[in-house]
Amino acid sequence: MRVSVTSIWLLALVISFGASSCSRAQGLVGLWQTETLRPTLPGRTNIIESHQTVEFLKEGSFKMGSTIATDGDKRTAVVFTGTYVLIDTNHVRLEVASGVPGSTNKTPLTVTFSLVGAELEMSKLTSSVVPETQKYRRVKR
């Protein structure tokens, strides 16, 4: 049996595409955090800090949260949870779990993202006439 050069190139292309897709998903795995905001409120002396996080786990789940600290009192809330599947190099499909206890309903969302080094830019999960994105930086543990 004779193998053509074209067949070898085609096989190499398929393997390289699969490997880059896997490495892209591995690059998404981890904890990401927005820049900490420190708004000042007129007439108020207390210090407020807030940031958002998104975490993609290896087994295919994700969670998004929000943290607010006021004068050292820190409160964290999980806003969204669910599962994810990488569609291509710039799109991830999220299955967002319902916030209703005991519900198995999930809302499917396809989200655009870009990953450059330690920075993740992703579509916000809000309805808007003008598409909005959110920037996150990788959190080192």
Side-chain angles (χ1 to χ4, degrees):
M1 179 173 152
R2 218 174 132 168
V3 179
S4 72
V5 173
T6 306
S7 297
I8 293 171
W9 279 106
L10 184 58
L11 179 60
L13 180 64
V14 168
I15 290 171
S16 119
F17 177 73
S20 70
S21 177
C22 288
S23 68
R24 189 77 170 171
Q26 287 300 319
L28 197 57
V29 170
L31 179 62
W32 302 85
Q33 177 179 312
T34 62
E35 182 178 324
T36 299
L37 299 176
R38 293 176 180 89
T40 55
L41 303 173
R44 305 283 299 229
T45 59
N46 57 340
I47 298 168
I48 299 173
E49 296 181 341
S50 68
H51 66 266
Q52 296 175 8
T53 59
V54 60
E55 184 171 20
F56 293 96
L57 302 172
K58 288 180 187 176
E59 56 26 61
S61 67
F62 79 93
K63 59 184 173 181
M64 297 181 91
S66 178
T67 300
I68 297 176
T70 306
D71 293 329
D73 181 26
K74 187 175 180 179
R75 285 173 264 162
T76 301
V78 174
V79 180
F80 297 111
T81 62
T83 57
Y84 73 96
V85 175
L86 197 63
I87 296 173
D88 59 33
T89 58
N90 293 98
H91 296 91
V92 63
R93 180 154 180 92
L94 305 176
E95 295 283 333
V96 181
S98 169
V100 178
S103 175
T104 58
N105 292 338
K106 291 187 176 184
T107 303
L109 292 170
T110 299
V111 178
T112 302
F113 75 94
S114 71
L115 187 57
V116 178
E119 186 172 276
L120 168 67
E121 186 169 0
M122 191 169 89
S123 301
K124 286 187 176 181
L125 303 186
T126 56
S127 299
S128 176
V129 176
V130 177
E132 295 181 59
T133 62
Q134 181 67 58
K135 288 186 181 184
Y136 300 86
R137 302 246 351 129
R138 184 176 296 281
V139 175
K140 297 193 192 277
R141 293 186 184 189

